[in-house]
């Protein structure tokens, strides 16, 4: 079955470390997105990519970086510059068909220890 | 610019009663509208969408939503709530007049609590 996979499900980061969250999709979707969600809150857009080798900053890109070297993959790196990284991170993908919504992964919960 | 508002942070309803989760939107052109549900520690799951046609849209798990162009609303409804419907609900909009890609704009979410 086609889908979007995020790994790991839980991730612990020490102060000053960079960590990378994986997002892989086999839906042949062109666009991919990263969102941050704090407890009980809505979604905030970190980065998005509409085609391979191109990506754009979202509303809260500071302290994060991404790459889009393959259509299927859109990893997110949380750098040490992100001062408050503890949150739930969601990856999503979509086609160019405007009648379709996003397909979401199951999320990665990142905790700073 | 496209925007969407969910005016209620939380909606409380008794099991078996009808429920409504409100959503209003603002777009320049015609909207495509979506509802998603999120259970704890999970991603968002698609419930239903309005693209064109009948203003009453039926979706998963017995949910439906009514598109009202004059009131710029797309409220989510269910005739009889279940305790298992308790979750976080998100409304989203895509403005067809927006040529800046395929982005959805999400509302802030509404927590639905169904009590036995």
């Amino acid at each position: 079955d086609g889908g979007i996979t995020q790994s790991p499900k839980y991730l612990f980061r020490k102060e000053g470390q960079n960590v990378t969250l994986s997002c892989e999709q086999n839906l042949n979707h062109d666009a991919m997105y990263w969102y941050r969600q704090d407890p009980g809150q809505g979604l905030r857009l970190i980065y998005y990519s509409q085609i391979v080798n191109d990506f754009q900053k979202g509303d809260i890109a500071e302290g994060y970086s991404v790459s889009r070297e393959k259509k299927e993959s859109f990893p997110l790196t949380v750098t040490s510059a992100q001062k408050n990284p503890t949150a739930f991170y969601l990856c999503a993908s979509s086609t160019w068909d405007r009648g379709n919504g996003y397909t979401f992964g199951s999320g990665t919960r990142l905790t700073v220890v | 610019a496209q925007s969407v508002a969910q005016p209620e942070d939380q909606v409380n309803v008794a099991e078996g009663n009808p429920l409504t989760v409100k959503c209003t939107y603002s777009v320049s052109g015609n909207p495509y509208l979506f509802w998603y549900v999120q259970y704890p520690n999970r991603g968002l799951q698609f419930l239903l969408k309005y693209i064109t046609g009948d203003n009453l849209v039926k979706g998963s798990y017995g949910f439906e939503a009514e598109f009202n162009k004059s009131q710029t609303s797309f409220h989510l409804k269910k005739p009889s709530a279940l305790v298992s419907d308790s979750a976080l609900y998100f409304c989203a909009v895509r403005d067809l007049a927006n040529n800046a890609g395929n982005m959805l704009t999400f509302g802030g979410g509404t927590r639905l609590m169904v009590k036995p």
Side-chain angles (χ1 to χ4, degrees), chain B residues 64-78:
Chain B
E64 57 190 27
E66 186 168 11
F67 172 65
N68 187 317
K69 188 171 185 177
S70 63
Q71 297 186 5
T72 62
S73 67
F74 189 56
H75 301 331
L76 183 69
K77 300 181 180 183
K78 188 173 183 182

Side-chain angles (χ1 to χ4, degrees), chain A residues 63-97:
Chain A
Y64 301 97
S65 66
V66 293
S67 63
R68 186 85 188 278
E69 297 175 0
K70 299 187 300 182
K71 188 175 184 178
E72 301 80 15
S73 179
F74 191 41
L76 174 73
T77 297
V78 184
T79 75
S80 57
Q82 171 50 240
K83 297 306 179 188
N84 185 24
T86 295
F88 190 55
Y89 291 86
L90 285 164
C91 181
S93 66
S94 69
T95 68
W96 279 106
D97 183 344

